[in-house]
Amino acid sequence: MRKLQKLAALGLAGSMALSLAACGGSAASSSEAAADSAPVSGEATAESTASGDEAVTLNWALWDKDSTAYWQALADGYMESHPNVTIEMTDLGSTDYMTQLATQLAGGNGELDVLSIKDIPGYSNLINLGLLEPLSGKLTTDESKFNGVLDQLTAEDGNYYAVPFRSDFWVVYYNKDIFDQAGIEYPTNDMTMEDFDAKIREVYEKTGVYGNIYHTWRSTTTLFGILDGEHTVIDGNYDFLKPYYEQVLSEQADGVIPNYGEQKTSGLHYSGAFQNGQAAMCNMGSWFIATMQKYNEEAEGNGVEPVNFGIVKYPHPDGAPAGSTLGTVTSLAVNANSEKKDAALDFVNWCASEDGAKCVAAVGTFPAVASDETNAIISSTEGFPSDDASLEALNTTAIYLEMPLSDKASEIETILNTEHDAIMTESETVDEGIANMNEQVAALLG
């Protein structure tokens, strides 16, 4: 069995005293509509720290420019310290972004220099097409600071072709008022799966409110199983998923969580269920923090009550340390056919550096290479839970990729999602669904 590498380790103990001047213009609105696909350029304002003074324009492929604050934050931060460089952004939109990117790069097109990588299947496809420049050994940031993520992005030829600058990880959100009103102790930063199950049941028994809402994504239900670091979803055997399916289906049968089939039929979304007090807890990614902050900020104007919420570390299997969790990364790559590879690499290196990480954190997003300073920036944003447990929840032990690099990742995902739906709607038993997963993925892997 292939052993997963640790993706990242975050700390929260340092000072907030740092300058964000290098992130000028980073507080872009996150509520505006997506931009057209025409390039957008900015101007540099600070003294250059680049290796040369020749004017360079880099074309950066990305998605949802105007609704995603960190793109402009990174561009502005880099251009302030590199006045000879202009960053133009080509917005390909978020729908089928990786397919659109592959189309743009087809035929050796070198017009795009820096490439944003959205998902693992698309990344694998671009590697197979020979469209990405190898980046192994070219980083200026110590590779050990990525704590294993570069290993997970390394292809069979021994090279990695993208460098992460953003990382999201999963935590448990909980409604403090629901717990307080029933006199129930809050969830803790060291919950086993058994502890989590017991807390879900206790909340429902004492309040009549769903103890947790598992969203209909497969990851919310089954990927507790990869937190031991011994299993992945690309190895072709899924027997290890059985206890997690059985636990969630038991909770569903007892009515302490929403019914999966009814969630899909009604369109009940995890955010609405948690914000409306229909569920006391929600296991979800760190991106939901900003959503909750925005919801609470606008609550009065929208005529709703703000949610008094906290976060704790993700539940873990017995034997896995507290702070083990799931994660996804957003990465940057260099077009193999760019005529400005050196300049593009310098920008990628800067985005992955501590300077780039501070710009990402300044807009409330978790950087891939985190530090005491970046965690302090995020935890000091308006509306972040101020309790000690929520602060400690940012301090993870290990984050494992939901989908590791595989040239079969897309096909495997389709198989697993189909069988997951059958299991959760009880049109198949757990054993039948897992047997189908094993058989179909084994045939795919040959």
Side-chain angles (χ1 to χ4, degrees):
M1 186 70 69
R2 175 178 162 185
K3 184 173 178 69
L4 275 172
Q5 302 293 321
K6 292 182 179 178
L7 189 156
L10 306 178
L12 182 62
S15 169
M16 290 175 52
L18 54 96
S19 172
L20 297 181
C23 301
S26 64
S29 170
S30 61
S31 61
E32 298 174 347
D36 294 333
S37 58
V40 182
S41 63
E43 295 181 356
T45 59
E47 183 177 351
S48 176
T49 58
S51 57
D53 295 323
E54 182 180 352
V56 177
T57 298
L58 294 176
N59 196 341
W60 182 12
L62 43 76
W63 62 90
D64 294 351
K65 173 194 171 293
D66 282 352
S67 59
T68 308
Y70 51 74
W71 301 129
Q72 193 66 52
L74 288 168
D76 288 346
Y78 184 78
M79 289 189 293
E80 284 185 13
S81 57
H82 299 74
N84 61 311
V85 180
T86 298
I87 304 293
E88 294 184 342
M89 297 182 229
T90 295
D91 190 336
L92 300 180
S94 58
T95 303
D96 296 324
Y97 167 80
M98 293 302 290
T99 300
Q100 293 291 331
L101 180 60
T103 300
Q104 292 280 330
L105 299 175
N109 190 332
E111 292 182 3
L112 297 172
D113 304 299
V114 179
L115 313 174
S116 303
I117 304 298
K118 190 175 184 182
D119 58 55
I120 294 296
Y123 171 59
S124 177
N125 181 51
L126 294 180
I127 293 174
N128 292 338
L129 293 173
L131 298 175
L132 303 183
E133 182 74 8
L135 300 182
S136 298
K138 299 177 182 178
L139 293 191
T140 54
T141 299
D142 186 347
E143 292 187 359
S144 67
K145 291 187 176 182
F146 293 89
N147 295 307
V149 64
L150 296 176
D151 293 338
Q152 295 188 67
L153 294 176
T154 297
E156 292 183 359
D157 66 0
N159 288 304
Y160 55 82
Y161 292 79
V163 179
F165 70 93
R166 173 191 174 183
S167 174
D168 283 296
F169 57 96
W170 288 59
V171 295
V172 170
Y173 298 78
Y174 66 98
N175 186 317
K176 294 181 179 180
D177 289 343
I178 293 176
F179 280 81
D180 290 342
Q181 291 164 10
I184 304 171
E185 292 185 2
Y186 294 156
T188 73
N189 276 314
D190 188 4
M191 283 193 296
T192 64
M193 292 302 299
E194 183 178 351
D195 295 333
F196 189 43
D197 178 68
K199 189 64 66 177
I200 290 170
R201 293 177 181 279
E202 181 184 9
V203 169
Y204 182 79
E205 290 166 2
K206 292 183 177 179
T207 69
V209 174
Y210 289 128
N212 187 66
I213 179 167
Y214 299 92
H215 193 51
T216 53
W217 300 330
R218 176 179 55 81
S219 50
T220 66
T221 300
T222 64
L223 291 189
F224 298 107
I226 70 171
L227 300 183
D228 60 4
E230 298 292 337
H231 299 95
T232 79
V233 295
I234 63 172
D235 290 330
N237 187 294
Y238 302 94
D239 295 345
F240 70 94
L241 299 180
K242 183 174 181 177
Y244 306 101
Y245 271 124
E246 290 179 338
Q247 176 169 319
V248 175
L249 286 171
S250 176
E251 293 166 354
Q252 179 172 284
D254 293 339
V256 301
I257 62 170
N259 179 276
Y260 174 91
E262 293 176 2
Q263 278 182 253
K264 295 198 74 173
T265 301
S266 67
L268 179 63
H269 195 267
Y270 69 86
S271 59
F274 185 72
Q275 291 162 351
N276 296 334
Q278 294 172 266
M281 293 187 290
C282 177
N283 57 315
M284 189 46 59
S286 53
W287 58 83
F288 192 40
I289 295 173
T291 301
M292 290 304 303
Q293 289 171 303
K294 181 177 176 61
Y295 178 87
N296 284 345
E297 179 185 358
E298 299 176 350
E300 183 177 356
N302 291 332
V304 297
E305 291 294 322
V307 180
N308 181 20
F309 77 99
I311 61 173
V312 291
K313 296 178 184 180
Y314 215 53
H316 59 90
D318 288 331
S324 300
T325 188
L326 311 174
T328 57
V329 295
T330 305
S331 304
L332 297 178
V334 174
N335 183 359
N337 295 299
S338 168
E339 295 182 356
K340 307 167 186 175
K341 291 181 185 178
D342 288 344
L345 176 61
D346 189 74
F347 176 64
V348 170
N349 267 314
W350 186 90
C351 290
S353 72
E354 185 173 346
D355 287 338
K358 291 175 185 177
C359 288
V360 172
V363 294
T365 302
F366 290 89
V369 177
S371 66
D372 297 341
E373 290 180 320
T374 59
N375 281 344
I377 293 169
I378 291 171
S379 64
S380 68
T381 56
E382 183 69 26
F384 187 92
S386 60
D387 61 282
D388 290 342
S390 294
L391 299 179
E392 173 59 24
L394 301 184
N395 189 9
T396 65
T397 302
I399 305 177
Y400 297 100
L401 279 179
E402 297 177 31
M403 176 62 74
L405 178 60
S406 167
D407 60 1
K408 304 293 185 182
S410 181
E411 294 96 327
I412 292 173
E413 182 78 9
T414 298
I415 293 169
L416 299 186
N417 286 346
T418 299
E419 295 303 321
H420 172 74
D421 194 69
I423 292 172
M424 292 303 299
T425 55
E426 300 184 66
S427 60
E428 291 179 353
T429 67
V430 174
D431 288 338
E432 288 170 343
I434 289 177
N436 288 338
M437 292 179 188
N438 290 344
E439 179 181 351
Q440 293 174 44
V441 175
L444 179 67
L445 297 177

